[in-house]
C-alpha cells in the first residue's frame, strides 16, 4: 500500500487475559492491577501493551521509529476491543532515498471512549 498525507489506517484488537499474562512475563510489569482481577473479573491491560496497536500499524509499513509519544487517557481492561486510527501527517522522500513519516493516532474502546492518543515519527525502511 502506498501511503500519502491524509491517509488513515485502522487496526482493532480485543485484549485477553492471556495477552496480559504474557506481557507481564515479558515486561516484568507486575502491578497488582495486572495480575489480580477486579470486581468484574477483569485485569487492567498494561499501557505499553495497549500502545502496541499504533506500533503494529507502523510495523506493517516498515517504519523505523525515531520518536513515539503516548498519552494514556483511561484504563483498558481485558475483553475491551480497542480501535486504533493512525493518520499520516507527513510522508516525504529524503535525499538518502528514504521516506520520512510522521503520524498521529487515536485509540478508542468499544464504547467510543478515548483511551490512548499520541504520535510517532521515523523513516520507512
Amino acid at each position: 500500500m502506498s501511503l500519502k498525507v491524509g491517509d488513515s489506517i485502522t487496526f482493532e484488537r480485543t485484549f485477553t487475559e492471556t495477552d496480559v499474562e504474557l506481557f507481564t512475563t515479558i515486561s516484568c510489569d507486575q502491578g497488582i492491577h495486572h495480575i489480580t482481577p477486579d470486581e468484574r473479573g477483569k485485569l487492567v491491560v498494561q499501557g505499553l501493551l495497549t500502545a502496541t496497536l499504533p506500533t503494529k500499524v507502523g510495523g506493517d509499513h516498515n517504519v523505523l521509529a525515531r520518536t513515539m509519544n503516548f498519552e494514556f487517557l483511561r484504563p483498558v481492561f481485558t475483553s475491551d476491543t480497542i480501535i486504533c486510527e493512525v493518520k499520516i501527517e507527513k510522508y516525504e522522500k529524503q535525499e538518502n532515498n528514504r521516506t520520512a513519516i510522521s503520524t498521529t493516532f487515536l485509540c478508542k474502546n468499544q464504547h467510543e471512549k478515548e483511551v490512548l492518543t499520541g504520535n510517532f515519527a521515523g523513516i520507512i525502511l
Side-chain angles (χ1 to χ4, degrees):
M1 171 181 176
S2 181
L3 298 174
K4 63 185 180 306
V5 171
D7 283 352
S8 288
I9 305 157
T10 59
F11 177 67
E12 178 178 308
R13 179 175 179 180
T14 302
F15 289 98
T16 67
E17 284 187 32
T18 301
D19 294 332
V20 173
E21 290 167 359
L22 289 170
F23 196 81
T24 298
T25 299
I26 291 168
S27 68
C28 298
D29 182 352
Q30 299 176 3
I32 195 75
H33 49 292
H34 301 311
I35 59 175
T36 303
D38 66 9
E39 63 280 351
R40 299 172 300 152
K42 298 181 181 224
L43 299 172
V44 175
V45 176
Q46 289 92 341
L48 288 179
L49 179 53
T50 305
T52 63
L53 276 75
T55 63
K56 188 259 190 233
V57 172
D60 286 349
H61 296 279
N62 298 312
V63 175
L64 178 60
R66 289 192 163 162
T67 62
M68 294 180 175
N69 296 295
F70 302 104
E71 183 177 358
F72 300 94
L73 303 172
R74 64 177 26 92
V76 172
F77 297 91
T78 50
S79 80
D80 281 356
T81 298
I82 308 301
I83 301 163
C84 181
E85 182 178 12
V86 176
K87 184 175 179 187
I88 309 301
E89 303 291 344
K90 173 182 158 188
Y91 192 86
E92 58 188 41
K93 294 285 185 192
Q94 297 181 316
E95 291 178 14
N96 61 5
N97 212 22
R98 300 280 186 180
T99 301
I101 186 170
S102 295
T103 70
T104 55
F105 59 83
L106 176 63
C107 300
K108 295 181 181 181
N109 66 19
Q110 67 274 14
H111 305 293
E112 294 289 316
K113 302 238 183 213
E114 296 180 1
V115 298
L116 174 63
T117 187
N119 58 69
F120 65 85
I123 58 168
I124 306 287
L125 295 178

